[in-house]
Amino acid sequence: MAGKPKKLGAEPLKIGLVLDTSLDSTQGVPQYVTSIGEWLRSQGHDVHYLVGETKRRDLPNIHSLSRNISVSFNGSRTTVPLPTSRRKLRRFMHDNHFDVLHVQTPHHPLLAQRLVLAASDDTAVVGTFHILPYGWLARTGNRLLGIWLWPSLKRFDRMLAVSTAAADFCRWSFGIEADISPNVVDYKLFHQAKPLKQFDDKRLTILFLGRLEERKGCQVLLEAVANLSTRPGLPDFRVVICGTGHLEVRLRNFVTQNGLASVVSFEGFVSEADKPRYYASADLAVFPSSSGESFGIVLLEAMASGRAAVLAGDNPGYRSVMLPQPDLLFPPQDAIGLANKLAAYLKDKPLRQKMAEWGESYTANFDVNVVGNELVSIYLEALRKRRRR
């Protein structure tokens, strides 16, 4: 229930981080939510996770508010909430009076929208827009979703987007201007990681880490590696594939059919605990995603290690991150072009080190301490404006 307004900036905030899907995944938007949430908690704020169906219980104040079903959306598998009682959600919001609701958008009409509309008049609502469309269906669907979400969108006090590309899509699909607040990385965690022993040798390591699905582009990387295997004069290298997905059998067959078994290894699912060490083991980290990327947290994680030169597919989200060094971008579906770029970086150790050092310095700007403090300032300003109304 609402009490006496607190003096802004003098006391901790009660913050509800709203996510329609699940916290069970450790990638993408759920990773952003937990990274921001746990940093806010470390600063003394009272953080609650208002999410769809989730089994995760290792964090405090997780409120699983719906049942979810699995669907295919924007080139990946995700979950969406089933209808939840409005009365139940209103009672929840009444019993948990939040200073700020931070909603991950595009959000769902049957959960997040109902939470926003049930919020107290003195609760500030801030959104972060996270996606870019993978194909015309996702693009059209988000335009229609924006119409359905208009009742809650009018209630937002501030809209953010993780990149300029995401902000453009937010404007197109929702008709709302968004300010840039990027994804975050735990810089210290990745920067201090040590290489795995099995890869800490003189053989160069090319790393792919991501889901094994079409838009992530692992097939393009393997086609490039097959081309490299025919080229003389390259230093000895290995390719390490981290991740799982429906393309795994096809990719393994491609490796066998092209005689790459001595070069390519499949590591399967990599835990959050082990992920920093894989990045620290790479000389080149390659992310050939073709589209559907609003930002590219994997790029930051790989660069934060300080060892890997990071090559990224030239899609709008990745471009927004890599713009200061456009030579690190490549046409994401051009296997021969990627092979040429890989060959150049494999042969040029000073160039690899230069780009790794640039990434190490650049990524510090996205550390959760930097972005987190900016977010708190945004929360406080949104609260001040709401109270003045």
Side-chain angles (χ1 to χ4, degrees):
M1 296 178 65
K4 182 180 179 180
K6 63 185 65 174
K7 184 178 179 181
L8 295 183
E11 297 182 17
L13 299 173
K14 186 171 183 179
I15 302 165
L17 298 176
V18 182
L19 177 67
D20 290 294
T21 58
S22 171
L23 286 178
D24 295 343
S25 169
T26 55
Q27 298 179 342
V29 182
Q31 179 182 348
Y32 169 86
V33 170
T34 55
S35 295
I36 289 296
E38 292 313 288
W39 180 85
L40 289 167
R41 191 186 311 285
S42 75
Q43 304 302 301
H45 299 288
D46 183 14
V47 177
H48 294 250
Y49 299 98
L50 283 52
V51 299
E53 186 174 358
T54 185
K55 297 179 177 64
R56 187 171 181 179
R57 290 295 182 267
D58 59 316
L59 302 174
N61 298 333
I62 294 179
H63 306 278
S64 187
L65 298 175
S66 72
R67 294 181 60 193
N68 282 32
I69 59 172
S70 178
V71 299
S72 179
F73 174 73
N74 209 34
S76 299
R77 298 297 299 180
T78 187
T79 66
V80 296
L82 294 170
T84 301
S85 165
R86 286 185 175 90
R87 180 181 297 177
K88 171 187 171 181
L89 296 179
R90 284 197 298 265
R91 185 169 60 248
F92 174 83
M93 294 300 290
H94 179 270
D95 294 342
N96 293 273
H97 182 267
F98 293 100
D99 296 303
V100 178
L101 282 186
H102 185 171
V103 183
Q104 315 315 307
T105 70
H107 52 292
H108 200 278
L110 299 180
L111 182 58
Q113 172 157 264
R114 293 180 178 181
L115 290 171
V116 170
L117 295 178
S120 171
D121 287 343
D122 62 350
T123 296
V125 180
V126 175
T128 295
F129 196 93
H130 285 277
I131 76 163
L132 282 182
Y134 179 65
W136 69 269
L137 185 60
R139 185 175 179 87
T140 303
N142 272 279
R143 188 69 173 266
L144 297 173
L145 180 63
I147 298 172
W148 195 358
L149 291 175
W150 189 241
S152 60
L153 291 173
K154 293 188 295 183
R155 178 61 177 80
F156 279 61
D157 297 285
R158 185 82 174 268
M159 183 64 79
L160 309 171
V162 294
S163 67
T164 54
D168 290 342
F169 188 51
C170 179
R171 184 186 308 111
W172 184 86
S173 56
F174 283 4
I176 293 177
E177 295 293 333
D179 300 310
I180 307 303
S181 178
N183 267 318
V184 299
V185 64
D186 186 342
Y187 184 78
K188 184 178 179 181
L189 174 68
F190 290 92
H191 191 251
Q192 294 182 346
K194 303 299 182 185
L196 294 161
K197 289 184 179 180
Q198 64 265 37
F199 304 129
D200 193 14
D201 53 26
K202 293 182 179 180
R203 192 178 187 188
L204 298 180
T205 298
I206 298 173
L207 176 73
F208 171 92
L209 195 153
R211 294 188 297 276
L212 302 183
E213 57 191 30
E214 284 84 354
R215 74 181 180 91
K216 293 296 183 178
C218 187
Q219 176 73 39
V220 176
L221 172 60
L222 292 180
E223 290 171 3
V225 172
N227 179 273
L228 289 178
S229 67
T230 66
R231 302 188 185 192
L234 294 178
D236 190 22
F237 69 92
R238 64 168 74 87
V239 180
V240 178
I241 306 297
C242 299
T244 60
H246 68 275
L247 291 184
E248 184 171 349
V249 172
R250 185 197 305 177
L251 297 175
R252 287 181 178 273
N253 288 340
F254 180 90
V255 167
T256 301
Q257 293 164 4
N258 287 271
L260 301 175
S262 63
V263 177
V264 179
S265 66
F266 289 85
E267 299 292 303
F269 173 78
V270 172
S271 70
E272 289 300 294
D274 290 335
K275 185 164 63 170
R277 298 196 68 187
Y278 274 93
Y279 285 131
S281 304
D283 298 283
L284 289 168
V286 185
F287 304 98
S289 185
S290 58
S291 61
E293 306 289 352
S294 62
F295 185 77
I297 187 66
V298 291
L299 309 180
L300 300 184
E301 292 173 344
M303 287 190 284
S305 72
R307 171 167 174 174
V310 175
L311 303 180
D314 191 4
N315 63 68
Y318 284 4
R319 191 184 312 128
S320 70
V321 177
M322 307 302 289
L323 191 58
Q325 292 290 349
D327 186 63
L328 295 172
L329 295 166
F330 59 89
Q333 295 177 320
D334 181 3
I336 300 302
L338 175 55
N340 292 337
K341 191 167 287 286
L342 285 170
Y345 276 84
L346 286 169
K347 291 188 289 187
D348 195 336
K349 181 177 180 180
L351 179 60
R352 288 198 312 273
Q353 291 179 333
K354 178 183 177 181
M355 291 297 100
E357 290 169 0
W358 168 78
E360 179 181 25
S361 173
Y362 173 66
T363 311
N365 298 310
F366 301 90
D367 181 57
V368 66
N369 290 285
V370 177
V371 180
N373 277 303
E374 294 172 353
L375 267 179
V376 171
S377 296
I378 289 168
Y379 293 163
L380 291 171
E381 181 60 26
L383 266 173
R384 291 187 186 99
K385 289 183 177 179
R386 176 143 291 275
R387 288 186 180 176
R388 283 200 295 268
R389 293 175 190 150

